[in-house]
């Protein structure tokens, strides 16, 4: 679509335009500990406002308050100049505030058209007017420059396309303040570029966009204004043009950051060898060799092949053909215990349904794959906490206080628990399989 003049001058002083959202002194406690402290934030139409901060800084909590998921414990929120008390999701939506969370929320079995129009299907003589559903959905997408066939099912879309459909749905429902929580977190560079283009289109249409991302280059490229949170408080808020990368990182972390990673060349020993791996049409004759001390990235469009590779290497499924070796020793396919006993650890990309047990605590999840835990000895509370503590330290897992359910951790901290759980395990874990299956 043709670029329009932004509704406000971006990056400059905001003398003329009215803030669409004005947050003053907002605080939020969970179980007595402060997740947000005295937060101020102004959002303007026609501006991309990036929220930055380390894992657990309070970004998601803040946008969940704006979109009515959580209620603030103190402070005030004005939307379009009117004070709001007790924002709920429904109320926020009526005010034009919409949040596209990181996890996609489309009905996967339905078409794109149905998803865009869900909750507002046009009818004729008492039945759904399907042609109008498709036409209106098409208009909603093309109005944002999105080129997706509305007859496709949501399940057939790439993650980036699913995000676009969610954005189109929110804009069609009247979203004028759009919050995107890590919209490019798992995307290829090209797909992330498509999302950024869409975000710029929204901005040029006068939408106020809140953009959460951990990618500093991306944020510097797309944002008009940046607000940095640290430990629940705003440490800096300024036009993007006034910040440089080093300053931004310093604000996020609270000190200068120097990389102390020693350069160590990989050894000349093959650690992991996969040869001629084939499975249906998802994987055909895949071969890769990873030396000790080496990181190998396997690239490809998001989809079936990655999850299939995970299932095959972890022993969850048996391939049609192929060979797997760890440290030169063959590993049989199709058996999770054999894969684990070889020393191979597969960390799922689907931490919510395959990785963590949401009803268990942080420490229990961290120790779950540990042989000793499953033999019940660690169930004695003090012992569990004592063993989990060094893992929390080495993976930098931060909770507001104590040992909360793992689901109460911030997204990034959940990811650290998932890594810590697998990377710290016994090399020969006999009771792993039980632990894994009962956990899933
Ligand atoms: N429902 C909850 N119950 C208890 N604590 C919570 C809850 N939601 C968030 N927290 C805590 O509030 C703090 C801020 O979390 P939040 O999810 O806002 O962080 P974030 O900045 O989005 O981090 P990330 O980059 O990891 O997603 C964290 O310490 C988290 O554990
Ligand atoms: Mg978050």
């Amino acid at each position: 679509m043709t670029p329009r003049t932004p509704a406000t001058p971006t990056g400059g002083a905001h003398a003329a335009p009215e803030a669409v959202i004005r947050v003053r002194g907002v605080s939020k406690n969970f179980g007595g500990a402060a997740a947000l402290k005295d937060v101020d934030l102004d959002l303007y139409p026609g501006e991309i406002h990036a929220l930055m901060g380390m894992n657990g800084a309070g970004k998601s909590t803040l946008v969940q308050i704006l979109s009515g998921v959580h209620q603030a414990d103190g402070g005030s929120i004005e939307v379009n100049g009117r004070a709001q008390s007790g924002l709920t999701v429904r109320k926020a939506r009526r005010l034009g505030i919409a949040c596209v969370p990181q996890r996609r929320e489309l009905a996967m079995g339905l078409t794109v058209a149905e998803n865009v129009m869900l909750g507002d299907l046009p009818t004729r003589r008492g039945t759904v007017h399907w042609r109008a559903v498709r036409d209106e959905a098409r208009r909603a997408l093309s109005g944002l420059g999105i080129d997706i066939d509305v007859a496709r099912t949501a399940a057939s879309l790439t993650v980036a396309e699913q995000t676009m459909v969610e954005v189109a749905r929110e804009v069609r429902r009247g979203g004028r303040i759009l919050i995107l929580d890590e919209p490019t977190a798992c995307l290829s560079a090209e797909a992330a570029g498509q999302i950024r283009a869409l975000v710029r289109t929204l901005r040029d249409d006068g939408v106020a966009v809140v953009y959460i991302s951990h990618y500093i280059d991306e944020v510097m490229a797309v944002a008009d204004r940046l607000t940095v949170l640290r430990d629940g408080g705003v440490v800096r808020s300024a036009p993007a043009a006034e910040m440089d990368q080093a300053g931004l990182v310093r604000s996020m972390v609270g000190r200068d950051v120097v990389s102390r990673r020693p350069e160590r060349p990989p050894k000349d020993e093959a650690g992991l060898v996969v040869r001629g791996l084939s499975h249906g049409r998802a994987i055909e004759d895949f071969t890769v060799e990873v030396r000790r001390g080496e990181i190998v990235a396997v690239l490809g469009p998001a989809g079936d092949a990655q999850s299939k590779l995970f299932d095959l290497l972890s022993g969850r499924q048996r391939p049609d053909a192929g060979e797997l070796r760890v440290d030169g020793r063959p590993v049989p396919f199709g058996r999770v215990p054999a894969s684990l006993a070889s020393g191979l650890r597969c960390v799922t990309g689907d931490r919510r349904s395959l990785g963590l047990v949401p009803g268990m605590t942080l420490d229990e999840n961290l120790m779950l794959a540990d042989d000793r835990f499953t033999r019940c000895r660690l169930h004695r509370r003090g012992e569990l906490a004592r063993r989990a503590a060094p893992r929390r330290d080495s993976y930098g897992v931060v909770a507001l206080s104590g040992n909360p359910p793992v689901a109460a951790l911030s997204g990034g901290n959940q990811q650290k628990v998932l890594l810590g759980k697998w990377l710290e395990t016994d090399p020969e874990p006999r009771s792993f399989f039980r632990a894994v299956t009962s956990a899933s």
Side-chain angles (χ1 to χ4, degrees):
M1 68 187 294
T2 46
R4 259 159 268 178
T5 320
T8 61
T10 52
H14 293 288
E18 278 277 308
V20 282
I21 291 192
R22 195 179 292 278
V23 173
R24 288 294 175 270
V26 156
S27 60
K28 177 73 189 170
N29 299 307
F30 288 113
L36 290 177
K37 303 168 206 159
D38 198 19
V39 167
D40 292 352
L41 184 77
D42 289 326
L43 301 178
Y44 292 90
E47 196 171 78
I48 300 171
H49 193 135
L51 277 187
M52 303 288 290
M54 307 258 285
N55 295 136
K59 306 177 294 293
S60 296
T61 304
L62 178 56
V63 299
Q64 283 172 321
I65 286 174
L66 296 182
S67 52
V69 176
H70 290 313
Q71 273 67 50
D73 294 328
S76 65
I77 300 174
E78 271 179 27
V79 181
N80 296 317
R82 296 177 68 160
Q84 302 295 328
S85 60
L87 262 188
T88 58
V89 172
R90 192 181 275 229
K91 220 162 149 187
R93 187 163 258 153
R94 265 207 308 273
L95 293 164
I97 305 169
C99 186
V100 176
Q102 189 175 343
R103 193 178 155 89
R104 302 281 59 86
E105 288 188 339
L106 296 176
M108 290 300 166
L110 300 185
T111 64
V112 170
E114 288 161 339
N115 269 288
V116 171
M117 302 297 293
L118 216 57
D120 188 24
L121 294 172
T123 53
R124 194 171 53 172
R125 285 185 230 113
T127 57
V128 175
H129 186 2
W130 289 110
R131 212 181 61 216
V133 171
R134 287 189 293 273
D135 288 348
E136 278 206 41
R138 221 173 271 130
R139 264 198 300 281
L141 292 173
S142 64
L144 294 171
I146 302 168
D147 181 20
I148 298 173
D149 180 355
V150 297
R152 286 172 64 188
T153 59
S156 75
L157 303 177
T158 64
V159 177
E161 286 170 335
Q162 290 175 5
T163 304
M164 292 179 191
V165 169
E166 275 197 52
V167 167
R169 170 167 73 187
E170 295 305 336
V171 171
R172 193 190 158 272
R173 285 176 175 175
R176 298 299 294 163
I177 299 153
L178 212 64
I179 299 162
L180 294 148
D181 196 349
E182 302 197 37
T184 56
C186 303
L187 300 186
S188 67
E190 191 193 340
Q194 290 169 353
I195 298 292
R196 285 196 297 277
L198 174 61
V199 167
R200 290 190 177 105
T201 304
L202 294 168
R203 184 258 314 271
D204 295 348
D205 277 350
V207 173
V209 183
V210 179
Y211 195 88
I212 299 181
S213 168
H214 284 282
Y215 301 130
I216 291 177
D217 290 342
E218 171 176 291
V219 164
M220 298 303 274
V222 82
D224 301 307
R225 180 170 286 268
L226 293 159
T227 292
V228 180
L229 287 169
R230 192 168 73 227
D231 297 332
V234 173
V235 286
R236 200 153 173 217
S237 187
E242 289 175 19
M243 283 210 212
D244 60 25
Q245 292 212 1
L248 179 58
V249 173
R250 208 177 309 120
S251 314
M252 287 166 60
V253 182
R255 54 179 164 76
D256 281 319
V257 177
V258 278
S259 171
R260 261 178 283 168
R261 191 162 54 91
E263 284 298 326
R264 259 180 296 182
K267 296 190 182 138
D268 218 11
E269 304 159 29
L272 174 76
V273 177
V274 179
R275 268 201 207 99
L277 191 68
S278 293
H279 191 77
R281 282 197 294 174
I283 295 181
E284 287 174 34
D285 200 15
F286 173 78
T287 292
V288 71
E289 208 167 287
V290 188
R291 290 179 294 166
R292 293 197 148 269
E294 189 174 44
I295 299 171
V296 172
V298 180
L299 303 180
D304 208 25
Q306 278 101 327
S307 59
K308 200 54 81 190
L309 198 56
F310 174 84
D311 288 344
L312 297 176
L313 296 187
S314 64
R316 283 159 58 88
Q317 271 192 25
R318 209 181 290 275
D320 299 334
E323 186 193 346
L324 172 64
R325 282 175 182 270
V326 172
D327 290 335
R329 283 189 293 275
V331 182
F333 283 113
R335 288 175 47 221
V336 174
S339 165
L340 288 169
S342 76
L344 190 61
R345 298 290 176 269
C346 297
V347 180
T348 173
D350 183 3
R351 75 168 174 256
R352 284 196 215 204
S353 42
L354 283 178
L356 298 173
V357 188
M360 291 175 106
T361 65
L362 186 178
D363 286 345
E364 284 168 337
N365 271 279
L366 205 45
M367 301 302 295
L368 193 61
D370 195 298
D371 195 23
R372 289 157 297 194
F373 179 84
T374 54
R375 281 195 232 126
C376 294
R377 275 195 262 137
L378 285 181
H379 270 305
R380 278 175 294 154
R381 258 228 232 109
E383 182 71 356
L384 184 77
R386 200 174 61 75
R387 289 187 191 259
R391 293 193 185 183
R392 282 196 193 202
D393 278 354
S394 51
Y395 288 86
V397 182
V398 187
L400 273 186
S401 61
N403 181 26
V406 76
L409 294 182
S410 79
N413 279 295
Q414 291 184 22
Q415 196 62 30
K416 292 178 198 171
V417 171
L418 185 58
L419 266 184
K421 158 181 155 179
W422 285 123
L423 297 184
E424 292 282 317
T425 47
D426 213 318
E428 290 186 341
R430 272 163 295 139
S431 49
F432 252 153
F433 189 49
R434 242 179 303 142
V436 174
T437 46
S438 62
S440 309

